[in-house]
């Protein structure tokens, strides 16, 4: 019994292999979608007061941060992972820490910087779960990744559905700043800790790879377009207002320049 629990913790149960888009993946995805849908319904429910919605968000954020600490303790003391591998190597690893902290602190600017990218990154991970489902059994390393990515889906979805925060085109520059922060973490800080992996997916086999074109270029263009589209559609009214105001500022600026001439 003890040995089986140990094997579950370190990921030795079941048959090792690549199980994305197989039974364990689809069952997991169903549960993830149910939890995200539940949080969307709770956030949109007018019968739940803003105070109680805040309590739901705080409890979720505390659970997320507690789990981030728990899995690192397990990986270090039980799985014997090197300490540098406990660093948040991937964007979603970093998001798993930053997103609940932002939610707890109700940091408005942090939401503008990190929420949308975290949401899109988690969606992309569940759509293309490369390297996550490494066993046909829900061992702890798989559960760790699933809970981490589910958390950074639920928090932005809950805040969006409760109207406490919605990203828009107005926040586009902030979201791009968040991308650069992740880039610095993945390509500079990770290397300083001796981590050599493809943590920003510049060498991955994602579906938008164009043969002969560096992945850095295709991934950057893809990210800029997708972030722009989702920034716009997540709050169309605010986005249209921002575009209109920007046009008016440009027109007024041109008129002032013409007047000086």
């Amino acid at each position: 019994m003890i040995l089986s629990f140990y094997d579950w913790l370190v990921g030795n149960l079941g048959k090792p292999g690549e199980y994305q888009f197989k039974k364990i993946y689809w069952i997991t995805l169903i549960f993830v979608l149910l939890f995200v849908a539940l949080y969307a319904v709770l956030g949109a429910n007018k019968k739940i007061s803003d105070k109680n919605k805040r309590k739901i968000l705080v409890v979720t954020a505390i659970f997320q941060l507690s789990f981030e600490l728990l899995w690192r303790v397990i990986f270090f003391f039980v799985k014997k992972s090197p300490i540098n591998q406990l660093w948040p190597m991937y964007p979603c690893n970093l998001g798993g820490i930053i997103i609940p902290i932002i939610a707890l602190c109700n940091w408005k600017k942090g939401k503008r910087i990190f929420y949308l990218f975290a949401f899109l990154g988690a969606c992309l991970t569940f759509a293309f779960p490369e390297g996550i489902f490494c066993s046909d059994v829900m061992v702890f390393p798989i559960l760790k990744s699933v809970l981490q990515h589910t958390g950074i889906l639920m928090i932005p979805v809950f805040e969006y559905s409760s109207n406490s925060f919605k990203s828009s085109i107005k926040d586009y520059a902030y979201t791009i700043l968040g991308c650069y922060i992740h880039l610095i973490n993945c390509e500079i800080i990770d290397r300083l800790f001796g981590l050599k992996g493809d943590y920003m997916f510049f060498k991955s086999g994602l579906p938008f790879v164009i043969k002969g074109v560096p992945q850095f270029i295709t991934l950057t263009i893809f990210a800029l377009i997708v972030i722009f589209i989702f920034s716009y559609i997540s709050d169309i009214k605010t986005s249209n207002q921002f575009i209109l105001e920007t046009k008016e500022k440009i027109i007024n600026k041109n008129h002032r320049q013409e007047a000086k001439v």
Side-chain angles (χ1 to χ4, degrees):
M1 184 69 178
I2 295 175
L3 182 61
S4 296
F5 183 66
Y6 171 82
D7 289 335
W8 177 78
L9 280 178
V10 299
N12 288 337
L13 281 183
K15 187 184 297 183
E18 293 294 330
Y19 290 93
Q20 59 262 36
F21 308 119
K22 294 185 180 179
K23 184 178 179 180
I24 187 174
Y25 164 78
W26 293 112
I27 293 174
T28 301
L29 186 62
I30 289 171
F31 277 99
V32 169
L33 292 176
L34 286 174
F35 271 101
V36 173
L38 173 63
Y39 266 66
V41 170
L42 289 174
N45 193 331
K46 302 296 184 182
K47 295 180 181 180
I48 302 176
S49 67
D50 290 341
K51 184 178 180 180
N52 285 332
K53 287 180 181 180
R54 178 64 188 165
K55 288 179 180 178
I56 293 172
L57 187 63
V58 168
V59 169
T60 303
I62 290 174
F63 172 82
Q64 185 81 1
L65 287 173
S66 299
F67 185 75
E68 287 293 328
L69 175 61
L70 174 64
W71 77 255
R72 284 175 168 83
V73 170
I74 292 172
F75 272 43
F76 184 71
F77 289 104
V78 180
K79 199 177 179 183
K80 307 299 181 183
S81 297
I83 194 167
N84 66 337
Q85 291 186 11
L86 305 181
W87 178 257
M89 300 174 282
Y90 290 94
C92 287
N93 293 154
L94 187 59
I97 298 172
I98 290 178
I99 297 303
I101 290 176
I102 291 172
L104 278 175
C105 300
N106 199 21
W107 183 29
K108 302 296 185 182
K109 189 167 289 186
K111 295 176 184 181
R112 300 174 74 183
I113 295 172
F114 291 107
Y115 265 26
L116 182 60
F117 184 82
F119 172 81
L120 293 174
C123 287
L124 190 63
T125 298
F126 282 118
F128 306 101
E130 186 176 329
I132 293 178
F133 294 92
C134 54
S135 173
D136 61 345
V137 175
M138 180 58 73
V139 288
F140 183 75
I142 298 177
L143 181 64
K144 183 273 291 185
S145 186
V146 169
L147 288 180
Q148 189 175 64
H149 289 88
T150 303
I152 60 178
L153 275 178
M154 292 193 307
I155 291 175
V157 164
F158 184 80
E159 295 231 49
Y160 178 88
S161 62
S162 62
N163 286 318
S164 58
F165 175 77
K166 287 186 177 182
S167 185
S168 70
I169 291 296
K170 193 175 182 179
D171 305 316
Y172 186 69
Y174 282 99
T175 307
I176 299 304
L177 172 61
C179 293
Y180 276 110
I181 291 172
H182 284 296
L183 180 64
I184 291 169
N185 178 61
C186 293
E187 296 299 320
I188 297 177
I189 298 178
D190 280 356
R191 307 309 178 210
L192 294 176
F193 285 125
L195 300 166
K196 306 296 183 182
D198 180 27
Y199 303 113
M200 205 66 183
F201 305 104
F202 289 148
K203 299 176 183 178
S204 69
L206 292 174
F208 37 83
V209 171
I210 301 175
K211 190 175 181 180
V213 180
Q215 181 77 339
F216 172 79
I217 295 176
T218 56
L219 193 59
T220 299
I221 294 173
F222 177 82
L224 290 173
I225 294 173
V226 169
I227 290 171
F228 184 87
I229 292 172
F230 275 86
S231 294
Y232 179 78
I233 64 176
S234 62
D235 192 345
I236 296 175
K237 183 179 179 181
T238 302
S239 295
N240 284 337
Q241 184 179 351
F242 177 74
I243 292 171
L244 183 62
E245 290 174 354
T246 303
K247 284 183 178 179
E248 289 178 352
K249 287 179 181 179
I250 294 172
I251 292 171
N252 291 334
K253 184 179 179 180
N254 290 336
H255 286 167
R256 287 195 297 269
Q257 290 177 344
E258 289 174 359
K260 288 180 181 180
V261 175

